[in-house]
Amino acid sequence: MKKLPFFLLLILLLEIISVESQSPALLKYVLQWPPTFCIKLNYQEEGRCKEPIPEHEFTLHGLMPADEEGNSIECDPGEDPNWDELFGPIEDELVTFWPSLREDFSERDLWEHEWRAHGACGGTTPQEYFDKAIEINYMPEQGNLFNYLETSGIIASDSLAYPKEYIVEAVQKVFTSPPLNIYLTCIPINPENTTHVYLSEVTLCTNLDGTEYISCPSEAAPTSCPDEALIMLPHPQAQGPEDPPEDIWKTRMERILRLNDLRLKLMLA
């Protein structure tokens, strides 16, 4: 039997390693804070959100298969299923926690996009993928993730901000086992502000079956919420195609900083 040249063996080995590194090992259940999503959409992409914008609940961004390091997997989604047949029995349930926030995107547009971009890479059928999203939605005992923040004294506000560890500890109350690692994603309030950020997303990780929580791997942890920054959950803001004038940002931030200084003094008194 003729042996393969060394360089061909090396190429095959590298391909095997590449495939294994992109094998699904867990699921990332990515929740978003709608007011922050809409702020980003308004001022960075010049789009608009449907109104009223939810302000007392997190909504699902997507269910994303990831490799053992927590990196989302990319793949060829293949052919679409029969969407009408798939969504018919579960549409009313999906829309309660996985709505489309964009004016130019229907719920089905969103779900189909999430399947093509992420779900198809998890080694499941479309039916299994969306069923898992529904099952994970019911796992937290207190319901929506916002309930865990609120019961920990963290509220949506345009004037209050919280240390990152407060947010993390509140979210970790979802778990009945010892605290598990989660991901937080933030966006800047404005380019000049380095002390405060808006909370954008919270990611909980589960096993590949979507039946139990696991720690999100530290290798893929986002860096957009600096440990030293104070995190805010903003209320919905007026929508418009243009960026707010700089003096509006300045006035808003001066008010936030004054209120946080006063809050700190009261806590230390």
Side-chain angles (χ1 to χ4, degrees):
M1 181 176 177
K2 192 174 181 180
K3 293 183 179 180
L4 288 173
F6 175 76
F7 75 92
L8 286 180
L9 288 172
L10 182 60
I11 291 172
L12 287 172
L13 179 60
L14 290 174
E15 288 181 349
I16 291 170
I17 292 173
S18 175
V19 168
E20 287 182 348
S21 68
Q22 279 286 287
S23 297
L26 57 95
L27 297 175
K28 296 191 294 187
Y29 196 75
V30 185
L31 297 160
Q32 60 192 356
W33 182 242
T36 301
F37 172 87
C38 296
I39 290 169
K40 181 179 178 181
L41 180 67
N42 295 164
Y43 299 132
Q44 294 184 16
E45 300 181 29
E46 297 185 357
R48 288 181 59 86
C49 278
K50 300 172 184 176
E51 295 185 341
I53 298 168
E55 57 179 319
H56 299 292
E57 60 185 320
F58 285 83
T59 62
L60 185 61
H61 171 176
L63 180 61
M64 305 177 185
D67 64 21
E68 61 184 10
E69 294 186 347
N71 301 300
S72 296
I73 295 174
E74 298 180 357
C75 68
D76 179 358
E79 294 185 5
D80 283 346
N82 183 324
W83 294 119
D84 289 335
E85 184 178 303
L86 173 64
F87 291 135
I90 60 174
E91 186 165 8
D92 289 344
E93 194 164 17
L94 283 175
V95 77
T96 62
F97 65 93
W98 202 350
S100 171
L101 300 175
R102 299 179 63 126
E103 276 189 348
D104 59 352
F105 232 47
S106 71
E107 271 71 32
R108 289 198 178 191
D109 288 336
L110 171 63
W111 302 333
E112 291 171 18
H113 165 77
E114 289 299 318
W115 164 256
R116 296 185 189 111
H118 302 289
C121 306
T124 65
T125 67
Q127 184 70 60
E128 291 169 337
Y129 172 73
F130 289 103
D131 284 347
K132 284 181 181 181
I134 293 171
E135 291 167 5
I136 298 173
N137 174 62
Y138 288 116
M139 285 170 62
E141 292 182 357
Q142 294 185 32
N144 194 273
L145 183 64
F146 183 66
N147 297 334
Y148 289 86
L149 299 184
E150 197 169 36
T151 56
S152 297
I154 297 169
I155 60 172
S157 172
D158 291 325
S159 59
L160 297 177
Y162 306 90
K164 181 178 179 179
E165 60 265 29
Y166 286 20
I167 306 286
V168 171
E169 289 172 3
V171 173
Q172 286 176 330
K173 292 180 180 178
V174 169
F175 312 125
T176 55
S177 59
L180 301 173
N181 191 37
I182 64 167
Y183 295 154
L184 297 184
T185 305
C186 299
I187 66 168
I189 292 179
N190 67 49
E192 289 75 33
N193 179 24
T194 59
T195 60
H196 293 67
V197 291
Y198 284 150
L199 181 63
S200 177
E201 294 181 337
V202 177
T203 298
L204 309 177
C205 295
T206 76
N207 60 2
L208 200 54
D209 292 332
T211 55
E212 62 178 322
Y213 294 116
I214 62 173
S215 274
C216 296
S218 58
E219 292 90 341
T223 59
S224 55
C225 301
D227 290 339
E228 67 277 8
L230 294 173
I231 298 177
M232 304 180 66
L233 279 75
H235 285 301
Q237 298 179 6
Q239 298 191 87
E242 299 178 356
D243 289 338
E246 186 176 337
D247 59 338
I248 291 179
W249 287 118
K250 183 177 179 182
T251 302
R252 180 182 297 159
M253 282 312 305
E254 287 175 346
R255 180 169 177 265
I256 290 169
L257 292 171
R258 286 198 304 271
L259 288 171
N260 274 300
D261 285 343
L262 176 60
R263 185 166 175 257
L264 181 60
K265 289 175 181 177
L266 291 172
M267 291 174 64
L268 295 175

